[in-house]
Amino acid sequence: MASIAQDQPLAPVRKAVSAAALLTDDAALSLYSHDVLSSGARPLAVFRPASVAELAAGIGAATAAGIAIVPRGGGMSYTGGYLYDGGPFLLVDTEALDAIIAIDETDMVATVEAGISWDKLHRALSPRGLRVLAWGTLSGIRATVGGGMSQNGIFWGARNGSVVDSAVSFDVVLADGTIITTGSEFFRPYGPDLTGLFAADCGALGVKARVRLKLVREATAFAYGSFSFERHDALLRAMSAIARAELASESFAFDPFLQAQRMRRDSLVKDAKQFGNFLKAEAKVGGILKAMKEGAKVALAGRSFLDGVPFSLHCIAEGRHQGAVDADMRAIEAIVREIGGGVVENSIPKILRANPFPPPNSMLGPGGERWVPVHGFLPHSRLIEAWERLQSLWEANAEEMARLKVETGALIAATGRSSCLIEPVFYWPGAHNPLHAHAVEADHLARLPKLADSPEATALVEKLKGEVIAIFQSLGAIHLQIARTYPLGTRHDPAGWEILRALKRQVDPRGLMNPGVLGLGTDAAG
């Protein structure tokens, strides 16, 4: 039940939207004021519109009353994207806007409402032999298409770019409730790239309502490879060579610590559903006999095949013809061997490709620890220096990290011909927050220890995160999911940054659309 004090500023919004569209109960306000890492002020209400028209009406009514708008996708953010402390605000949750409006197999475009998850869209497209060009992040069981278009993201289909590269155009609700369309229904760009201006804006310019996406035919042939490396420099050189040659659709690696964490957390065949999805995928491509053979290999490998492997690299090659993707994988293996790596059982990429959107249980560590990543995208030429500077940072803080039980590992992923992602992740003791209870599978959560908060450890993680970002920035890194964590304005040409500020003033003159995100100010001056 909303309090009288809370309900008074909401009165204009209540007149514009249905009663069911506004959530003001304590549980909702608590959940929606947390992201994976932090907490913010509670919103006046969670606005969950049932239609695009209602979304526009609610936003227009709220901003006319001086209430800020803060959009939230699937809630998987850890950079403060939807956390706000600057005054009364309405948190927009597009969960009910999850319709697939059209799948056009002639023009190869899908039109969807912004609240649809990557997983739901993928499951709808798969029976047609279709997928989106870059088709989501590993958190796609909860992460939404609209959230991806606002925050950006990368993993599946990384050879084709980040998820915003899959966008054709958007329907966006501006601060006054106006709905604009950013471009053509089938081609991008049509003149200056207006779609690109609204992509990766973290909701600073408007709220995505509908998204048109480029479709491609799903691959019908796959090859998988996993490899071991003794040293980081050999791993990074191999990943760069594979990426430049465009041999893998996805290429990702774990350092020794993160690899051990993952193998502790999950058996690769932990349940019948996951393993069954793998067998179905193998049978679809290569028939029942191949599926049985590959299934036996995965089952026999269990979790021991990475014992004693310092760094592991996992690659997926895909295409139309099995001979072609097998040739690509042989070329990948040749690169690995030339640089000094070896071949190991390829269970990880097989299982992951068959189960592309696992439950987000990894947002807690295998011992119940808190977890948060921080990342940088770097050109191939700076990867080794970045890695070695990170190791020096851990060494300089080793005593404090050991005392406070702060641990770190890293995911590395190729992100196209010119760059790779390095994503250090931190684990440390801390209490679970409402988002963990909401997103992590209940049976998994029940098995995890409940740890007490450690303010000292949390402070150390925040300090180290800042130093990691500083290292990345000094090497010219770029970031996705910028939100309120990564610097943006200082990395722009000043004249270019002023153009962005001017655009913000034009579409949001009162500064009420996710104020402060991207480093844009909370007033109209930006």
Side-chain angles (χ1 to χ4, degrees):
M1 179 75 68
S3 68
I4 294 175
Q6 181 186 37
D7 209 50
Q8 285 176 343
L10 281 175
V13 183
R14 290 193 182 280
K15 290 179 181 178
V17 304
S18 66
L22 295 175
L23 308 180
T24 56
D25 60 282
D26 186 70
L29 299 183
S30 177
L31 169 62
Y32 286 90
S33 61
H34 287 82
D35 71 2
V36 172
L37 176 62
S38 305
S39 62
R42 291 190 175 199
L44 293 173
V46 175
F47 176 35
R48 187 176 292 168
S51 68
V52 171
E54 187 170 45
L55 172 66
I59 288 175
T63 56
I67 299 170
I69 296 296
V70 177
R72 177 187 187 269
M76 298 293 98
S77 171
Y78 47 84
T79 56
Y82 56 86
L83 303 183
Y84 179 59
D85 295 317
F89 71 101
L90 200 64
L91 189 139
V92 178
D93 173 22
T94 57
E95 180 180 344
L97 299 179
D98 68 343
I100 297 173
I101 298 167
I103 299 173
D104 188 332
E105 296 189 47
T106 301
D107 296 334
M108 296 294 279
V109 173
T111 303
V112 301
E113 291 181 333
I116 193 170
S117 72
W118 291 102
D119 176 55
K120 180 177 176 180
L121 178 57
H122 181 65
R123 286 187 285 109
L125 292 171
S126 185
R128 300 171 181 248
L130 299 171
R131 65 168 174 81
V132 177
L133 180 65
W135 48 286
T137 59
L138 287 173
S139 57
I141 196 168
R142 288 191 174 273
T144 65
V145 170
M149 295 301 126
S150 295
Q151 296 270 36
N152 209 353
I154 200 160
F155 194 82
W156 294 116
R159 182 168 59 186
N160 300 308
S162 64
V163 295
V164 299
D165 294 312
S166 296
V168 176
S169 62
F170 307 134
D171 292 344
V172 180
V173 180
L174 302 183
D176 63 359
T178 301
I179 303 173
I180 68 162
T181 298
T182 63
S184 163
E185 294 183 351
F186 66 93
F187 193 89
R188 171 186 170 194
Y190 180 31
D193 190 6
L194 188 58
T195 298
L197 287 175
F198 282 87
D201 72 332
C202 295
L205 305 180
V207 177
K208 312 294 184 300
R210 302 183 190 94
V211 181
R212 295 167 198 86
L213 294 158
K214 302 172 187 176
L215 297 180
V216 296
R217 291 290 171 193
E218 177 61 286
T220 53
F222 299 88
Y224 306 91
S226 292
F227 311 96
S228 65
F229 293 86
E230 293 292 327
R231 291 182 49 83
H232 67 279
D233 50 349
L235 166 70
L236 294 169
R237 287 200 305 272
M239 289 193 75
S240 294
I242 292 164
R244 284 192 294 267
E246 298 184 278
L247 293 168
S249 55
E250 291 85 22
S251 174
F252 56 97
F254 305 121
D255 79 337
F257 178 81
L258 190 58
Q259 183 171 276
Q261 289 288 86
R262 295 189 67 85
M263 301 311 280
R264 279 177 59 202
R265 182 171 61 237
D266 289 314
S267 164
L268 292 173
V269 290
K270 69 176 184 178
D271 61 51
K273 179 180 179 182
Q274 187 183 56
F275 194 54
N277 288 343
F278 164 67
L279 293 177
K280 288 177 185 177
E282 287 294 311
K284 184 177 180 181
V285 174
I288 296 296
L289 289 178
K290 182 182 178 184
M292 292 175 64
K293 178 182 176 181
E294 295 298 325
K297 288 170 62 179
V298 169
L300 288 171
R303 287 183 287 179
S304 63
F305 65 92
L306 289 179
D307 289 352
V309 174
F311 294 88
S312 66
L313 168 64
H314 310 278
C315 298
I316 303 171
E318 62 177 47
R320 298 285 178 265
H321 305 287
Q322 194 62 46
V325 297
D326 287 342
D328 284 343
M329 192 55 64
R330 287 194 297 272
I332 289 171
E333 183 176 334
I335 289 170
V336 167
R337 291 191 183 280
E338 181 179 358
I339 296 176
V343 177
V344 295
E345 174 56 46
N346 56 6
S347 298
I348 287 177
K350 288 177 181 175
I351 290 287
L352 192 59
R353 186 57 171 78
N355 300 271
F357 301 116
N361 296 338
S362 59
M363 61 198 295
L364 291 170
E369 309 95 331
R370 293 294 302 275
W371 164 92
V372 70
V374 59
H375 72 259
F377 289 76
L378 291 152
H380 297 303
S381 58
R382 297 173 194 163
L383 292 174
I384 293 175
E385 181 182 356
W387 185 266
E388 292 176 351
R389 288 178 63 179
L390 290 173
Q391 304 321 298
S392 296
L393 177 63
W394 310 146
E395 290 167 11
N397 290 272
E399 186 175 334
E400 275 293 274
M401 292 173 71
R403 181 176 72 85
L404 297 172
K405 300 181 180 179
V406 173
E407 298 179 295
T408 185
L411 166 72
I412 310 161
T415 53
R417 293 182 299 276
S418 59
S419 66
C420 278
L421 161 76
I422 299 179
E423 184 174 81
V425 297
F426 295 96
Y427 296 88
W428 75 102
H432 305 162
N433 73 28
L435 181 61
H436 297 128
H438 176 74
V440 175
E441 288 180 306
D443 62 338
H444 181 81
L445 189 64
R447 294 194 296 269
L448 296 178
K450 303 296 188 291
L451 305 178
D453 261 334
S454 174
E456 268 195 288
T458 301
L460 178 60
V461 169
E462 289 292 348
K463 170 182 172 288
L464 292 172
K465 275 181 56 197
E467 294 186 27
V468 169
I469 293 171
I471 289 172
F472 284 146
Q473 288 280 298
S474 72
L475 294 170
I478 65 97
H479 309 278
L480 310 185
Q481 199 178 142
I482 294 164
R484 294 176 171 85
T485 294
Y486 298 105
L488 183 63
T490 56
R491 292 291 307 282
H492 270 277
D493 177 279
W497 182 245
E498 180 51 40
I499 291 173
L500 184 58
R501 294 174 72 239
L503 176 61
K504 170 73 168 173
R505 290 192 294 268
Q506 174 66 33
V507 298
D508 181 21
R510 299 178 64 186
L512 291 173
M513 299 302 286
N514 211 359
V517 80
L518 299 184
L520 293 170
T522 56
D523 59 14

